[in-house]
Amino acid sequence: MEKKGKAVLAYSGGLDTSVAVMWLTEQGYDVITMTADVGQQAVDLEAAKNKALRSGASKAYVLDLKKEFVEKFVWPALKANGMYQSTYPLNSALSRPLIAEVMAEIAKKEGAQAVAHGCTGKGQDQVRIEVCTNALNPDLKVLAPVRDWHFTREAEMEYARARGIPVHATAASPYSIDDNIWGRSIECGILEDPWNEPPSDAYTLTVEPWDAPDEPEYVEITFTRGIPTALDGVKMDGPELIESLNVQAGRHGVGRIDMLEDRLVGFKSREVYECPGAITLINAHRALETLTLDKQVLSTKKELEIQFGRLAYEGYWFSPLLDAINSFIDTTQEYVNGTVKVRFFKGQAVVRGMKSSHSIYSQTLATYSEGDAFDHEAAVGFIKIWGLPIKTWRQVHESKEAIDIPAQ
Ligand code: ARG
């Protein structure tokens, strides 16, 4: 067999990627696997390592990347209030550039010529991983065995069994799941018909609103430069803080999303997500920005947020435009400091209060009571000049058709 050199494979421990280890080995590759813990619910790293080695890998990396993921990918997304189509907090999309980056790094360390992933030819994860890999190291070959081999699930099981690798005989999950600390994506099966209400069994992080407590619960989230740093006054690191909110918001049924998404690869897809921590944090962060950011900065930022969501979704994480947008956003976040009070109740996370040492809300300007500092006299001149262009226009052009007032 022709030796093809080393390939670094993104390995989940599931059937697809285990078969990929055997298949790539039989094609002549020396396979090195990389299993990342990005906070997914069911990850047994030790078992994944053993399974990779049993399947024929020459080396198996298992890496806890939660901190890296949160600090380098999730926090920039939160600062951008990043949501694709104003709805999807990008949980799956954000982990792909990290995986590409780590694989490229391992490839360099191990002297590998190729990286490989287990994506099918239909999704956008293949696009993200490959576009990011090409951006980071164009010399790396990218292999996508699952896209190329046309195995059915049954054929994959047979293939593995024939090579003495035990595969779970249990019925496959009715859904395709991808999860990490920022949320859980649920696709396929009964969800493919947009008329079908997602069944309760699709969810694992959140409860139905009718099963949520009948009493509201509050949390106070402290932000420092746009990043959450404490819950109820207790300082926490990023992963700890998000995990804690996932549990708290999840038990109130917060963060369920059901959308018809426009995929980069051209078709619409029904997507269900549960992102209790992400939705809570984005709501709180967005609110704190209304208290601390200037009106024009806020409106320009909003336009850039839409672009951020699109670029992150479409695999352009390492693009110059995303870098530039992040620079703008980082400048704005300097003053996004303070505490936001959020109430959880029956599927909702609602902001119920906020305070900031950088607040630009002025009660003496806003008040209708005693102590009003607003200059009422100045309103007269302001209105004259503010309305001048319209007045001038109306003097020259036909006025609008009059409203017919019936005689009284
Ligand atoms: N539609 C989402 C995205 O493209 C979720 C992808 C989930 N991936 C999966 N293998 N189920 O980002």
Side-chain angles (χ1 to χ4, degrees):
M1 184 178 46
E2 187 204 339
K3 286 269 167 243
K4 294 195 176 125
K6 294 181 181 175
V8 181
L9 169 72
Y11 181 72
S12 70
L15 179 62
D16 278 346
T17 49
S18 296
V19 171
V21 176
M22 303 171 220
W23 194 81
L24 288 169
T25 308
E26 284 173 17
Q27 307 297 306
Y29 287 101
D30 171 2
V31 179
I32 297 165
T33 59
M34 190 286 287
T35 306
D37 177 4
V38 281
Q40 56 273 49
Q41 282 186 296
V43 62
D44 183 343
L45 296 174
E46 223 23 61
K49 180 172 187 158
N50 291 335
K51 197 164 172 191
L53 295 172
R54 266 203 327 269
S55 301
S58 65
K59 192 165 179 179
Y61 280 83
V62 289
L63 304 170
D64 178 355
L65 297 176
K66 290 197 288 289
K67 199 163 177 319
E68 200 84 18
F69 179 51
V70 169
E71 286 172 4
K72 287 178 72 176
F73 298 87
V74 172
W75 286 165
L78 176 62
K79 288 192 263 185
N81 300 316
M83 296 229 192
Y84 179 63
Q85 298 192 316
S86 310
T87 313
Y88 161 44
L90 299 161
N91 44 289
S92 291
L94 291 171
S95 71
R96 293 345 188 214
L98 169 67
I99 288 168
E101 193 175 346
V102 171
M103 285 204 292
E105 208 47 54
I106 294 178
K108 189 158 96 191
K109 225 171 133 114
E110 297 285 345
Q113 293 72 42
V115 296
H117 60 76
C119 304
T120 65
K122 202 160 179 175
Q124 14 203 30
D125 290 330
Q126 53 168 348
V127 180
R128 296 171 184 141
I129 291 180
E130 296 188 26
V131 167
C132 289
T133 303
N134 291 336
L136 294 171
N137 182 354
D139 296 331
L140 277 174
K141 204 168 150 181
V142 188
L143 309 166
V146 178
R147 186 172 63 195
D148 300 336
W149 67 33
H150 308 298
F151 277 157
T152 59
R153 205 175 161 80
E154 292 69 33
E156 283 184 26
M157 293 215 195
E158 201 34 59
Y159 182 90
R161 233 177 263 125
R163 282 151 186 81
I165 301 303
V167 287
H168 298 298
T170 51
S173 155
Y175 312 106
S176 161
I177 308 288
D178 177 69
D179 75 325
N180 60 52
I181 197 164
W182 202 229
R184 187 164 170 270
S185 308
I186 311 144
E187 304 174 315
C188 301
I190 188 178
L191 305 175
E192 283 176 1
D193 180 347
W195 177 252
N196 291 336
E197 184 173 359
S200 297
D201 77 353
Y203 302 103
T204 61
L205 298 174
T206 55
V207 299
E208 299 286 1
W210 48 87
D211 291 327
D214 292 325
E215 291 299 317
E217 194 179 348
Y218 290 81
V219 67
E220 291 183 9
I221 308 171
T222 302
F223 287 86
T224 309
R225 293 208 168 97
I227 290 171
T229 48
L231 294 183
D232 292 324
V234 180
K235 277 204 181 332
M236 291 182 196
D237 72 9
E240 202 188 343
L241 187 143
I242 298 171
E243 270 161 5
S244 163
L245 275 181
N246 277 339
V247 173
Q248 194 179 7
R251 68 169 173 260
H252 287 275
V254 167
R256 290 190 174 185
I257 297 158
D258 181 358
M259 72 184 287
L260 206 79
E261 186 171 296
D262 284 297
R263 285 203 172 185
L264 169 60
V265 286
F267 58 91
K268 287 183 186 287
S269 166
R270 204 278 186 86
E271 301 284 329
V272 174
Y273 302 102
E274 47 180 352
C275 310
I279 292 298
T280 304
L281 286 170
I282 293 170
N283 285 352
H285 178 261
R286 214 182 244 149
L288 188 58
E289 288 189 326
T290 64
L291 185 68
T292 53
L293 295 187
D294 162 74
K295 162 179 155 183
Q296 287 178 316
V297 169
L298 267 179
S299 72
T300 298
K301 181 170 183 283
K302 198 154 271 173
E303 289 167 25
L304 295 176
E305 288 174 358
I306 294 170
Q307 299 240 36
F308 179 100
R310 201 166 30 222
L311 293 165
Y313 186 85
E314 294 181 347
Y316 267 41
W317 187 265
F318 297 111
S319 67
L321 181 55
L322 199 81
D323 284 348
I325 289 175
N326 281 332
S327 300
F328 173 90
I329 290 177
D330 278 339
T331 307
T332 68
Q333 297 302 291
E334 175 93 28
Y335 307 107
V336 184
N337 302 308
T339 300
V340 182
K341 181 165 57 184
V342 177
R343 186 186 69 199
F344 299 121
F345 187 58
K346 298 287 183 197
Q348 306 284 327
V350 182
V351 172
R352 299 280 71 194
M354 49 187 171
K355 57 183 180 187
S356 167
S357 54
H358 288 105
S359 166
I360 45 172
Y361 168 79
S362 161
Q363 197 164 352
T364 55
L365 285 177
T367 188
Y368 285 89
S369 310
E370 202 69 22
D372 180 3
F374 186 80
D375 184 353
H376 292 234
E377 309 295 308
V380 180
F382 169 73
I383 292 165
K384 215 181 242 171
I385 292 172
W386 177 247
L388 187 58
I390 313 177
K391 186 170 131 193
T392 310
W393 174 271
R394 287 285 167 204
Q395 279 169 345
V396 174
H397 300 281
E398 285 283 283
S399 71
K400 276 173 66 182
E401 217 174 285
I403 295 171
D404 199 15
I405 310 281
Q408 301 288 300

